[in-house]
Amino acid sequence: MITTTTDIHIPNVRLIAKHYNPADVLFFDIETTGFSPRSSSLYLIGVMYYEHDSWKLRQWLGETESDEPLLLRSFVQFAANYVYLIHFNGDRFDLPYVKAKCNTHNLAFLPDQLNSIDIYLKVKPLKKYLKLAHLNQRSLEEYLETDRTDTASGGDLIPICREFQKSHDPLLCEQLLWHNRDDLKGLPGLFPLLSYLDLINGRFTIIRAELSEETESAFSLIVTASLSVNLPKPISCKLDFGYLTAHDTICKIQIPGCKGTLKYFFRDYKNYYYLPAEDTAMHKSVASFIEKEYRVPAKAATCFQKKSGYFLPQAVELCTPAFKENYSDAVTYFECTKQFLENKESLLAYVQNLI
């Protein structure tokens, strides 16, 4: 087994420190000759860690397939000193693979107190916002325009690994280490993507809300908010109701509203009469005094009262009372009042729900 340890410069050191104590963090990546631990071998494990005020890269490379237990034992013993194990898609591949191999060789696996941090799972909710066809590490690095020197894939390295384990050619050795090194360096390079999570999780401050009159029956609510983090690149995205744009620390959400008359439907319709001439419902305690020919028992679809004003859509009944155009409509609306526009807590809750 070949073990190498070198000092390494990595990007976004401050972003890492914002989320984790660097001394507690171990970045981790493996290289294998296939996806199944039953029919392939583990030939390289690489880690990055912070020690003596600098970042270091350590790699364990198997010179033959028989070195696999040595790689595993060295890595597990080393990782036991850390609190966080950071990786990309490791919850689905790297960690189950290592665990299966530890079981095969009757070796102890990683301790339970070691917290797994999968960057892929963290950024997965960003797919529609970043408008990427794939969320693999290479695609995300290209999106962020990071500086990657290695162009090979894991599959490209399999024949190189097999040839190296036969010939022990130092040039082939360097190719294997180089790819793993770039994968590891790329992990902290993805940390700026976590800034988008503040946006989609609604961790921002409302600056202002303005109405934009458009037609006699339509208007838009434009909400401007401030983020506590700087986004790496501008984004724009269509929401279920509205459109979002964000740049640097500012985001804007434009929400289409409607002007006119909507209906509030009472749930306990059996306690109401419907008055056809007035196209409204009235509680039986009052409507019982109206002559019978002017009232009929209300049904769910006719048990309503009307309201005119400015209305905004909502995916769930977050704001009440909730109005509809028709009883069977899935989308409900609430009245956009001056009080609502001036209440930043209500505005924030509404916008968070839309995003």
Side-chain angles (χ1 to χ4, degrees):
M1 178 179 73
I2 296 173
T3 303
T4 66
T5 303
T6 57
D7 289 333
I8 191 168
H9 173 74
I10 65 171
N12 305 314
V13 172
R14 290 183 180 178
L15 274 179
I16 296 171
K18 177 184 175 182
H19 296 276
Y20 309 101
N21 177 4
D24 293 336
V25 165
L26 186 69
F27 290 96
F28 152 74
D29 185 52
I30 67 173
E31 307 298 338
T32 70
T33 60
F35 293 112
S36 171
R38 293 183 179 181
S39 57
S40 64
S41 63
L42 171 69
Y43 67 87
L44 176 57
I45 302 178
V47 296
M48 283 194 317
Y49 56 97
Y50 190 73
E51 185 178 76
H52 304 311
D53 297 325
S54 66
W55 286 93
K56 299 184 184 300
L57 173 76
R58 180 168 295 186
Q59 294 170 292
W60 297 279
L61 175 64
E63 296 180 88
T64 66
E65 284 192 15
S66 62
D67 281 345
E68 189 175 74
L70 293 175
L71 269 67
L72 291 163
R73 189 180 296 110
S74 299
F75 165 66
V76 169
Q77 290 176 350
F78 191 86
N81 299 312
Y82 292 86
V83 179
Y84 302 102
L85 188 65
I86 301 181
H87 46 81
F88 191 89
N89 202 29
D91 282 355
R92 293 201 306 176
F93 177 67
D94 301 60
L95 290 175
Y97 192 104
V98 169
K99 185 174 184 179
K101 287 295 188 179
C102 285
N103 290 338
T104 298
H105 298 291
N106 296 315
L107 298 173
F109 186 53
L110 296 167
D112 292 338
Q113 67 268 23
L114 185 59
N115 298 284
S116 171
I117 308 296
D118 192 331
I119 295 179
Y120 168 75
L121 293 181
K122 283 187 171 293
V123 303
K124 189 176 179 181
L126 298 175
K127 187 171 183 179
K128 78 170 184 177
Y129 297 92
L130 303 182
K131 299 177 182 177
L132 295 175
H134 304 286
L135 280 184
N136 55 49
Q137 183 173 342
R138 187 69 59 89
S139 297
L140 293 171
E141 289 175 357
E142 289 175 356
Y143 174 81
L144 292 172
E145 300 177 7
T146 57
D147 183 22
R148 185 184 182 101
T149 56
D150 171 68
T151 59
S153 68
D156 295 334
L157 295 180
I158 294 174
I160 297 175
C161 167
R162 289 174 175 152
E163 180 59 32
F164 163 73
Q165 291 184 341
K166 291 178 183 177
S167 67
H168 303 291
D169 185 333
L171 293 178
L172 298 178
C173 174
E174 179 54 31
Q175 278 187 270
L176 298 174
L177 296 175
W178 181 22
H179 172 83
N180 181 253
R181 182 165 58 241
D182 266 17
D183 273 351
L184 283 165
K185 285 180 62 178
L187 291 177
L190 299 179
F191 266 61
L193 293 171
L194 302 184
S195 303
Y196 292 117
L197 296 177
D198 281 5
L199 174 60
I200 70 170
N201 290 327
R203 292 192 287 267
F204 47 71
T205 303
I206 301 293
I207 299 175
R208 59 182 176 272
E210 305 164 296
L211 295 186
S212 173
E213 302 282 350
E214 294 176 357
T215 67
E216 291 184 0
S217 59
F219 72 98
S220 285
L221 170 64
I222 301 173
V223 179
T224 304
S226 173
L227 294 161
S228 61
V229 293
N230 203 320
L231 301 179
K233 296 182 72 173
I235 62 169
S236 60
C237 179
K238 187 179 184 302
L239 306 173
D240 289 340
F241 303 108
Y243 200 82
L244 177 147
T245 59
H247 180 263
D248 292 336
T249 60
I250 298 296
C251 69
K252 288 191 175 184
I253 304 97
Q254 183 172 354
I255 306 140
C258 65
K259 293 185 286 184
T261 302
L262 294 178
K263 301 169 184 176
Y264 173 75
F265 290 88
F266 298 99
R267 299 182 189 276
D268 55 337
Y269 65 90
K270 292 183 179 180
N271 293 321
Y272 285 81
Y273 283 115
Y274 173 63
L275 311 181
E278 299 180 36
D279 193 26
T280 191
M282 188 177 293
H283 197 271
K284 286 183 176 180
S285 62
V286 178
S288 59
F289 296 102
I290 298 175
E291 296 180 13
K292 291 184 178 181
E293 60 265 30
Y294 295 110
R295 58 182 168 86
V296 296
K299 299 178 180 179
T302 59
C303 191
F304 61 79
Q305 288 184 350
K306 294 179 179 178
K307 176 77 173 180
S308 296
Y310 285 59
F311 300 92
L312 290 168
Q314 53 185 355
V316 296
E317 289 190 14
L318 183 69
C319 302
T320 57
F323 300 88
K324 296 181 182 182
E325 188 172 352
N326 299 294
Y327 178 75
S328 59
D329 291 347
V331 177
T332 65
Y333 293 78
F334 67 96
E335 191 174 10
C336 179
T337 63
K338 181 180 179 182
Q339 290 77 11
F340 170 75
L341 295 176
E342 292 176 348
N343 188 327
K344 290 189 176 180
E345 288 186 7
S346 297
L347 266 172
L348 179 61
Y350 173 59
V351 172
Q352 286 173 332
N353 183 260
L354 289 181
I355 296 176

